[in-house]
Amino acid sequence: MKAFFLQGYDDYDGSTVYWTWTDPDGVDHLCAQDRAVVDAAIAKLRAALPWEDATLADLDLTELNDQLRAANLSDALTDWLGWHSGAMETNARLVLTFHRVATGALADPVTERVLAHEIGQALLPPDLVSALRAASRAASREGGIPQREDDPQGSRLTVLPARSCSAVPWAWLGTAVESDERLVELADVVIMGPALHRDGRADLPHPSWEDQCDLPILCVVDPAGGHIPSVLRCDDGVAQTRLWQAEVDATGQQSLRVPGLVNSEAATRRWLFDELRERSAALFLGHVVSARSDVTGVGDAAAGKAGLLLAPAHHDGSAPDTLTAAEIVSSLIAPDEGDPSRGYAAGSPRAWQWPPRVGLVACQSGSDLSFAEPFGLVTAILEAGAELVLATLWPLFTDTMFALASGEPAESFTQTPLFDLSMATRDVLTSPHPFDDFAGWQRSRLAAWRAAPSLTTAPITWAAAALHYAPDRTPRPMG
């Protein structure tokens, strides 16, 4: 496997973005890019993604309704808004965001291709692309796609992006306008996990999936319940409750708080704390409370507020509980107990312990690198025992939203991009070759988009997913 590494730096004066990249021979290369060009490309990307338009927050219900009427929505989506009139303003903003994305650059194959290559040209060092392409051709395979991650002929690009580029879907970027070549067709693409406490401790063992691969995977699906909208689609066309039940019956995996699931328990914090132990992997499909990333300065306090929405601690109709990134990491810090130095307590009974691999299929679950000091759910879970976390870079639409917006009868609309992502995540978490399998899935989604472009095959959903990897970086004696 040929290893390439790309790292970005935002210049202190805001005028330049620097990239250093290292080739498989260990030679470093430098590329400087105009920050204005980079920012313009990122702005176009954000305009095409499901971030809520800030201008919508200033509109009252009357103004929102005016925009909804102008959007010419499907009858099913209009009816859905009527059924959920108790949160009309929130849902109106959601629907208008969906409409903007559904009519934007990522939803059309022509404009999507132009955008992918414009952003690729603005961000990727040209000599890096040339080196990846040369390695691809030398592998004597079309596109240079590795068969296994230990294949000496394959290539892997590990990216540690500049903060300004933290939400970029690197694998999706265009690398050749004339052929519509994408970065994932030249190499498997992985995001480097932030620095962790264990990196400096030779006495702390590095997580090993191979040592735990015989243990079962834990699947926590749609746990919040109550008034929180379900992430599952259950209508005349698709009954995802039954699909998840089939997964449980076939594999013995334990999925919880799936509406209507047989023998389902409530996935409370206490239950999750206990169930995470003795697992090879954990998959969370649900809602995440996202932290705002518009805070400037070192040590953004908001980063620690990103959290998983779980079942209420009590069966009294109370609001869902939240497990935040800050709470996970705080549990790893030993109590003071009169000693002014606070130590690391990974083995403490009160410490959250996550398995070596974790999937977070939830809105903006992988936003850690958007903060001045990288932190969030990915970092916290890596710190608490994971080596690999598959998370998403931006908000996701549910399969129900795609079905309602399609204008088709529910029974005939069977596309399920979010469910497909959750199944692909499950497969990656249990694979002996996660990097290769994830890249292969991304390439299959790209092929499906090219063959039959639609909202459900567009990069809106599948390009949001990224693998965050924290390899063994323990310092070792030289010589």
Side-chain angles (χ1 to χ4, degrees):
M1 189 268 295
K2 292 183 172 62
F4 293 80
F5 180 69
L6 174 66
Q7 183 171 9
Y9 310 85
D10 289 318
D11 190 17
Y12 71 94
D13 65 0
S15 64
T16 309
V17 177
Y18 291 103
W19 298 98
T20 60
W21 67 273
T22 307
D23 62 30
D25 295 324
V27 178
D28 293 329
H29 308 258
L30 175 66
C31 176
Q33 295 166 317
D34 187 333
R35 178 65 181 269
V37 175
V38 172
D39 285 349
I42 298 297
K44 289 185 178 181
L45 175 63
R46 288 187 65 89
L49 291 174
W51 305 102
E52 182 178 311
D53 187 341
T55 61
L56 294 178
D58 299 326
L59 302 182
D60 60 24
L61 187 55
T62 300
E63 294 168 316
L64 290 169
N65 281 329
D66 290 341
Q67 292 207 17
L68 289 170
R69 282 190 290 270
N72 193 26
L73 305 173
S74 70
D75 291 340
L77 201 51
T78 302
D79 291 343
W80 179 82
L81 281 170
W83 298 332
H84 296 80
S85 57
M88 187 64 185
E89 291 189 11
T90 298
N91 289 325
R93 293 185 180 98
L94 171 63
V95 170
L96 288 171
T97 299
F98 181 91
H99 177 72
R100 172 178 58 78
V101 174
T103 56
L106 284 180
D108 177 85
V110 175
T111 54
E112 182 269 346
R113 176 174 176 168
V114 171
L115 182 64
H117 290 280
E118 181 175 350
I119 297 173
Q121 288 181 332
L123 300 186
L124 293 172
D127 52 350
L128 169 61
V129 174
S130 298
L132 288 169
R133 192 175 294 122
S136 160
R137 290 170 178 167
S140 301
R141 302 185 192 88
E142 183 177 353
I145 300 172
Q147 301 302 306
R148 288 297 178 203
E149 65 193 63
D150 56 358
D151 184 345
Q153 298 303 316
S155 295
R156 181 189 303 163
L157 174 64
T158 301
V159 182
L160 183 56
R163 183 190 183 192
S164 60
C165 306
S166 59
V168 170
W170 294 91
W172 166 82
L173 295 185
T175 51
V177 176
E178 62 281 358
S179 64
D180 192 29
E181 176 186 80
R182 305 299 175 95
L183 190 58
V184 74
E185 295 177 297
L186 298 178
D188 296 351
V189 183
V190 181
I191 305 298
M192 174 64 76
L196 305 173
H197 182 82
R198 67 171 179 255
D199 294 339
R201 291 279 298 274
D203 58 323
L204 293 178
H206 184 76
S208 172
W209 178 83
E210 288 75 14
D211 292 343
Q212 298 179 240
C213 61
D214 292 334
L215 298 175
I217 178 176
L218 174 67
C219 297
V220 182
V221 180
D222 208 19
H227 66 282
I228 304 297
S230 173
V231 299
L232 299 179
R233 179 185 168 196
C234 298
D235 54 36
D236 294 338
V238 176
Q240 291 180 350
T241 297
R242 291 199 297 271
L243 294 175
W244 273 105
Q245 182 68 62
E247 287 295 318
V248 173
D249 294 342
T251 66
Q253 297 167 351
Q254 194 167 9
S255 304
L256 299 139
R257 238 311 295 162
V258 181
L261 186 65
V262 176
N263 297 324
S264 176
E265 296 183 55
T268 61
R269 282 168 57 110
R270 178 57 183 267
W271 176 89
L272 182 61
F273 182 90
D274 293 336
E275 288 295 327
L276 283 171
R277 298 173 187 272
E278 301 301 318
R279 300 283 181 171
S280 62
L283 168 63
F284 177 89
L285 170 60
H287 293 286
V288 161
V289 178
S290 298
R292 295 177 62 85
S293 59
D294 56 357
V295 182
T296 57
V298 177
D300 296 341
K305 297 179 181 179
L308 307 176
L309 274 187
L310 299 170
H314 306 287
H315 300 286
D316 56 2
S318 56
D321 208 345
T322 304
L323 174 62
T324 68
E327 289 170 326
I328 294 172
V329 171
S330 294
S331 76
L332 303 174
I333 301 174
D336 194 330
E337 297 180 354
D339 186 341
S341 63
R342 293 166 64 88
Y344 193 74
S348 168
R350 64 182 286 274
W352 281 88
Q353 178 180 317
W354 287 78
R357 295 180 181 177
V358 176
L360 302 176
V361 183
C363 291
Q364 201 181 343
S365 56
S367 61
D368 300 45
L369 297 178
S370 65
F371 294 94
E373 182 176 347
F375 189 60
L377 281 170
V378 170
T379 305
I381 290 172
L382 290 171
E383 195 73 82
E387 177 187 44
L388 183 152
V389 178
L390 197 158
T392 62
L393 301 174
W394 56 74
L396 303 172
F397 294 121
T398 65
D399 292 335
T400 299
M401 182 65 72
F402 283 109
L404 291 171
S406 70
E408 298 181 24
E411 60 270 16
S412 63
F413 189 84
T414 58
Q415 293 91 334
T416 55
L418 185 61
F419 182 78
D420 296 345
L421 173 58
S422 65
M423 289 292 99
T425 301
R426 186 275 318 270
D427 293 342
V428 168
L429 296 179
T430 57
S431 169
H433 307 283
F435 305 106
D436 182 56
D437 286 358
F438 179 62
W441 179 78
Q442 289 179 308
R443 287 187 282 266
S444 73
R445 294 298 84 209
L446 178 59
W449 163 243
R450 287 167 172 164
S454 71
L455 279 180
T456 55
T457 60
I460 295 166
T461 301
W462 60 262
L467 273 182
H468 298 75
Y469 178 51
D472 189 350
R473 298 175 288 205
T474 304
R476 291 178 173 82
M478 302 294 291

